[in-house]
Amino acid sequence: MDSTAFRREFDTAEAAMRIMRAGSMKPEPMNYAVWYTYCAGDVVGLKAELDQYLKDKRPITADVSGQMFAKYIAQALAGLADQATRQKLDDANDRLGKTLNAVTNLVAAAVKGGEGFGAALDAFQREIGAVNDPTLATAVAAMIGEARKMVALNAELSNRLTQVSSDVAALKGDLTAIRQEAYNDGLTGIANRKAFNTRIDEMMAEAKANGAHLCLLMTDIDRFKSFNDTHGHLIGDQVIKVVARTLAHNVRDSDFAARYGGEEFAVLFPNTRLKDAIIVANKIRMAVRAKEMQNRRTGENLGRVTISIGVSEYTLGETVDDFIGRADNALYLAKQTGRDRVCSQLDLGKK
C-alpha cells in the first residue's frame, strides 16, 4: 500500500471515531460500520441521508444507525446489492485491518526509538552536568523535555491504535457472522437460496470466460409431504438435515451445495461434464437411500428416504433460467417415471 492510500485509510478510521465521540455514540461494531462507510464515501445513498441529518442538526440515535446499517450495509452483505458493492465493503474492511496493523507496528517502533532517544539524552545530561554553562544546560533541558513529550505522545497513540485495531477485529468478526448468517441455511448449515443465486451467476460467468464445463444438479426428497404429515415436522427437519449432510459429504470442495427451498436442494459442479455429473448424482442418490431413518426420541424405525435428481449442463450464452429450467424439467421427469432415480437433459427428448 502506498503512503497516500495508507494515510487515506487511517484518516477514514479516525474521522469515523471522531464523529462517534462527538455524538456520544457507543463504539459498537454496527455504529462503526455505518460511520466508517459514511467517511469513506463509498455508498452514495448512506452519505446523502446522513449529510441531511447533520445539516438539519437532527440527533443520530442508535435507532437511526440501525436503520442506516439495515438499509445500506446489511443489504449489501446479504446479497441484495450488486456484487461490486459487496466486494467494495469486503475490500474496505480488509484494507482497514491491514492499515491499522501497519500503523500500530510503525508507532510501536517509534515508541521504542523514542525511549532509546530519551535514555541517550538522560545519559548525555548526566555527562554534561559538570559543565558550568547555564545556557547549554537550559538548551539541553528543553530538548530533553520535548523528547519526553514525543515519547509520551507516541505511547498514547500506540495505545489508541491498539484499541482501535481490537475494535476493528471485533467488527470484522461481526460482519463475517452477518454474512454467514445471510448466506447459510439456518436448519442445515449449508448455503441457502441467496447464496446459490449469487454463486450460479459467478460460475456461469467463469464458465463463459474460460469455455469450461459447468453442471447443475436439482433434487428433492420423494413424497416428503406425506412423510412430514405422518411423522411430524421435527422428523421432517431431521430428514432434510440428513439429505443436506449427504450432499455435502459427497461433493468436492470446489462444488457448491445449497438448500434451494423446502425439501429441494441444488449442487453446482464446475469443470465437470454432464456424464460425470450424472455419476456423482447417482452416488448421492444411493448414499441417501442407504440411510435408515429413525425417530431419535422413540427409537422407531421410519424406513428409508429416497430422492429424485435432475441434471443439466450449461450451454454457453444461455440464461440462468434456461440452465435451471432444464435441471428442473429433468427432476420432474425423474418424479414422473418412478422416483428414486436420476434423469438428465439427455432424457428430456425421450419423453
Side-chain angles (χ1 to χ4, degrees), residues 103-215:
V103 172
T104 301
N105 291 336
L106 286 171
V107 173
V111 169
K112 185 175 181 181
E115 289 171 347
F117 181 57
L121 284 176
D122 283 343
F124 177 65
Q125 185 180 35
R126 287 194 298 271
E127 290 176 8
I128 207 168
V131 178
N132 188 17
D133 188 332
T135 301
L136 179 59
T138 299
V140 170
M143 184 169 56
I144 290 175
E146 291 303 315
R148 293 200 185 286
K149 288 180 183 179
M150 181 188 71
V151 170
L153 181 61
N154 283 343
E156 180 185 356
L157 181 57
S158 178
N159 289 335
R160 286 175 56 205
L161 285 171
T162 299
Q163 181 58 50
V164 171
S165 295
S166 176
D167 291 343
V168 170
L171 169 65
K172 286 169 68 65
D174 285 351
L175 291 177
T176 299
I178 291 170
R179 191 177 186 87
Q180 184 174 1
E181 183 178 346
Y183 281 96
N184 280 35
D185 177 60
L187 177 64
T188 63
I190 66 173
N192 62 14
R193 178 71 172 271
K194 286 179 183 176
F196 172 81
N197 290 342
T198 298
R199 199 69 187 102
I200 193 171
D201 286 340
E202 294 171 350
M203 285 192 175
M204 285 174 63
E206 291 166 7
K208 183 177 181 180
N210 302 324
H213 293 275
L214 172 65
C215 286

Side-chain angles (χ1 to χ4, degrees), residues 43 45-46 49 65-76 80-81:
V43 181
L46 172 70
E49 280 205 45
S65 289
Q67 291 167 12
M68 295 298 109
F69 185 89
K71 185 174 181 180
Y72 293 103
I73 299 175
Q75 282 189 0
L80 301 178

Side-chain angles (χ1 to χ4, degrees), residues 217 269 276-286 309 311 342:
L217 174 161
F269 298 103
D276 296 318
I278 293 171
I279 292 172
V280 178
N282 270 303
K283 177 184 174 184
I284 292 170
R285 179 185 63 81
M286 290 186 288
I309 300 175
V311 186
V342 174

Side-chain angles (χ1 to χ4, degrees), residues 28 55 72 89 91 102 147 200 241 249 253 264 316 339:
E28 295 174 340
K55 181 180 178 182
Y72 293 103
L89 284 168
D91 290 346
I200 193 171
K241 287 191 277 190
H249 290 163
D253 289 342
E264 194 169 6
L316 292 180
R339 299 182 177 86

